[in-house]
Amino acid sequence: MTVRLQVLLDDDELADVKATAASQRLTVAEWVRQALRRARLEEPRYATEQKLLVIREAVQGHYPTGDIEELLRDTARGRALGGDATGEP
């Protein structure tokens, strides 16, 4: 589904957008769509606090550990059986 979006710009801003779009041989609408896509990609997906919480938890080392050879055998066995990273088939 396509939805119309209305954006209000002052005359100077609109003139700049039109000039930039024209210099790239794009319509104003396409230039705006591309600019919004770029902005969404640059926006962090997770809040800083959430990232810090994950890092703090990871450095505590409270996760399954074991002998490296045993872990490698278990990983190979899981892959051979078609399991995923969670160990579930």
Side-chain angles (χ1 to χ4, degrees):
M1 178 164 83
T2 302
V3 177
R4 182 180 301 270
L5 173 67
Q6 181 176 352
V7 179
L8 302 176
L9 302 173
D10 65 34
D11 291 339
D12 292 339
E13 285 177 314
L14 181 58
D16 286 345
V17 168
K18 284 181 176 180
T20 303
S23 73
Q24 296 176 21
R25 297 178 184 239
L26 297 172
T27 63
V28 169
E30 181 57 27
W31 185 88
V32 169
R33 281 191 290 272
Q34 289 181 15
L36 288 172
R37 286 183 197 116
R38 281 190 305 274
R40 279 196 342 260
L41 290 174
E42 292 172 4
E43 187 69 26
R45 295 189 59 100
Y46 301 102
T48 303
E49 280 304 313
Q50 185 179 6
K51 291 178 185 179
L52 290 173
L53 178 65
V54 170
I55 292 169
R56 288 183 187 116
E57 184 178 315
V59 298
Q60 290 178 9
H62 297 276
Y63 41 85
T65 61
D67 176 69
I68 186 65
E69 294 303 322
E70 183 180 347
L71 292 172
L72 292 173
R73 279 192 306 275
D74 288 348
T75 301
R77 186 172 34 250
R79 287 184 179 149
L81 295 173
D84 63 16
T86 65
E88 297 294 323

